[in-house]
Amino acid sequence: MTRRRALLGAALAMPAIGRAQAPWPEKPVKIIVPFPPGQAADILTRVLADELSRRWPQRVVVENRGGGAGAPGLEAGARAAPDGYTLTAGTSGTLSVNPSVLPRIPYDAERDFTFIGNVAVLPLLIVAHPSFPHRTAQALVAAAKAAPGGIDLATAGPATSQHMSAELFSHRTGTRFNMVHYRGSGPAMADLLGGTVPLMFDSVTSSLPHIQAGKIIPLAVTTPDRAPQLPEVATIAETVAPGYGAYGWTGLVGPAGLPETITRKVNADLNAVLSEAAIRARFLELGATVAPGTPDEFGAFVRREIAQWREVARIANVRLEG
């Protein structure tokens, strides 16, 4: 009788064991990058995906969904099932600038996502052609105030991080420039190198080789702290506009309703990857600085960014069709 009861108990226990939830992830995880291959967010996300694939029992794959200022890719991420198998690379443009300058976007940056963690920030620089007579942010501000709207300043296009950073600079320093918008950073840099335009806001990534070759001159860094790649270049905040901070950034989000257990696990593993010396060095090579933190910190950061760029867009009257 005792043996029968033991067998019966074992039989009843088996279905319960079968119902126990297996550890996440049980299948490959996809990260949507809302831009074509080769852009900064894509490169950084692929480095991250490779490292997470080594830590998890399943592969992490990157899916590029470019076009529409990143809005279609963000929409796909927002509409994915909240099970952790579709994550999205959210950026300064898609999560903070788009809501500020586009009258219609197919997602709500603050409500449609679960914030997991920031990945990296990408400092910008004010760079000038060698023929430009000013070598510091202080001298630039003085010259711009002496000739309002008289200095051409190239951007990678309307409402890009370069353009919005320049508008914030103008607002904070009481200056006005003639904004010359290009279709991307590449054409703008080509004209800066050729001397067609004297000044530009651009990323450390694309500017650094030209700075090292002596073809352009760095005047100031947009991040609150100096860029590790150019420690001798002062920041805008420490010279002409205390508290100024503008940069590109890339973080990781999931759909709204992502279980907290998955959010915390991905955040912990993300921060573990970002703490590795080899990853920090690789990001520096790419012009980025790792930015580990908690989900709550990342969410608060995104909300501050939205508020800042919404105010800049209002003051500078920056508005795009969409």
Side-chain angles (χ1 to χ4, degrees):
M1 191 69 168
T2 303
R3 187 167 182 274
R4 284 181 182 175
R5 286 178 179 173
L7 290 173
L8 179 59
L12 291 172
M14 288 179 65
I17 295 172
R19 288 193 303 268
Q21 188 173 7
W24 180 93
E26 296 181 84
K27 60 182 181 180
V29 176
K30 176 173 66 181
I31 302 179
I32 296 173
V33 173
F35 303 106
Q39 294 198 11
D42 175 68
I43 295 170
L44 296 174
T45 301
R46 288 181 184 277
V47 172
L48 177 63
D50 286 346
E51 292 301 315
L52 290 176
S53 292
R54 294 187 179 97
R55 290 175 175 270
W56 294 346
Q58 299 287 338
R59 291 181 59 234
V60 180
V61 297
V62 173
E63 179 182 299
N64 297 91
R65 293 199 183 190
L74 265 287
E75 180 185 15
R79 293 185 176 182
D83 55 11
Y85 292 104
T86 299
L87 307 176
T88 305
T91 66
S92 50
T94 56
L95 285 178
S96 61
V97 174
N98 279 1
S100 306
V101 302
L102 287 170
R104 295 176 300 277
I105 54 174
Y107 58 88
D108 186 307
E110 297 183 74
R111 289 196 285 259
D112 288 348
F113 299 99
T114 298
F115 297 107
I116 296 173
N118 209 348
V119 174
V121 296
L122 296 95
L124 301 177
L125 297 168
I126 305 176
V127 289
H129 188 267
S131 63
F132 191 64
H134 309 294
R135 292 290 183 268
T136 65
Q138 296 96 318
L140 171 62
V141 168
K145 287 184 175 180
I151 299 176
D152 290 343
L153 190 154
T155 82
T160 58
S161 59
Q162 293 93 332
H163 175 214
M164 299 299 282
S165 299
E167 294 287 6
L168 179 61
F169 179 82
S170 292
H171 172 60
R172 293 295 306 277
T173 58
T175 56
R176 183 161 56 86
F177 297 87
N178 178 39
M179 301 289 179
V180 183
H181 299 305
Y182 287 79
R183 291 179 177 270
S185 178
M189 178 58 72
D191 271 8
L192 180 69
L193 293 170
T196 303
V197 289
L199 204 64
M200 181 180 177
F201 274 65
D202 196 33
S203 68
V204 170
T205 307
S206 61
S207 294
L208 192 58
H210 304 303
I211 292 170
Q212 293 170 335
K215 295 179 179 180
I216 56 176
I217 308 297
L219 274 59
V221 181
T222 64
T223 43
D225 300 317
R226 296 191 180 196
Q229 301 89 341
L230 295 164
E232 73 283 0
V233 180
T235 69
I236 292 171
E238 68 183 290
T239 52
V240 295
Y244 179 100
Y247 28 70
W249 49 265
T250 295
L252 204 58
V253 299
L258 190 67
E260 185 174 355
T261 53
I262 295 177
T263 301
R264 298 292 175 184
K265 173 175 174 50
V266 178
N267 175 264
D269 290 340
L270 166 64
N271 289 338
V273 168
L274 297 179
S275 70
E276 296 180 6
I279 297 302
R280 295 199 301 270
R282 176 62 177 143
F283 275 32
L284 284 176
E285 290 175 2
L286 297 169
T289 303
V290 299
T294 68
D296 289 343
E297 288 170 342
F298 183 42
F301 169 77
V302 173
R303 286 186 282 273
R304 288 195 304 271
E305 286 280 287
I306 292 172
Q308 171 171 275
W309 296 125
R310 188 166 284 156
E311 180 66 4
V312 171
R314 183 189 65 81
I315 293 169
N317 194 29
V318 180
R319 198 73 170 163
L320 297 180
E321 295 299 323

